[in-house]
Amino acid sequence: MKKVEAVIKPFKLEEVKEALTEIGIQGMTVTEVKGFGRQKGHQEIYRGAEYVVDFLPKVKLEIVVPDEMVDRVIETILKSARTGKIGDGKIFVVPVEEVIRIRTGEKGEEAI
């Protein structure tokens, strides 16, 4: 099993969620996060005062899937989250040793 973590632009969340649902993903965790990379943030003016916005709002998706679904999930996120502009985000894939469903005690892929 693997955990696919994707950091994307917030306005792409619904499109990505719908695309993942279409390929059979039944659950994910979504967190509102802030960060910066090459995009670096930007300057804004509020009530005449200039300030720098270093950390930009993003959304982080976490999806645990069987190994055979990883490539399909990545491809789906890439297609649905891409705008072609700087700041589209990143995808990370990390191994998952164990999954346990709290309600039933099921383990492994049955618990996903």
Side-chain angles (χ1 to χ4, degrees), residues 62-73:
E62 296 175 273
I63 308 153
V64 177
V65 295
D67 290 341
E68 60 272 6
M69 290 256 339
V70 172
D71 290 337
R72 193 159 180 214
V73 167

Side-chain angles (χ1 to χ4, degrees), residues 16 21 37 42 46 54 84 98:
V16 172
T21 302
H42 59 277
Y46 179 72
D54 288 334
E98 184 69 86

Side-chain angles (χ1 to χ4, degrees), residues 4-62:
V4 179
E5 297 180 2
V7 179
I8 63 172
K9 292 183 175 188
F11 69 88
K12 286 296 214 171
L13 175 61
E14 195 61 32
E15 187 176 339
V16 172
K17 184 190 86 158
E18 287 174 8
L20 288 168
T21 302
E22 285 177 17
I23 66 163
I25 299 301
Q26 296 179 352
M28 69 182 78
T29 301
V30 178
T31 310
E32 292 181 9
V33 297
K34 292 183 179 187
F36 73 91
R38 291 184 181 163
Q39 201 173 2
K40 297 280 196 261
H42 59 277
Q43 290 185 341
E44 290 188 7
I45 297 176
Y46 179 72
R47 295 189 177 182
E50 193 173 291
Y51 65 100
V52 176
V53 178
D54 288 334
F55 294 99
L56 299 172
K58 302 286 182 181
V59 174
K60 179 179 175 183
L61 307 175
E62 296 175 273

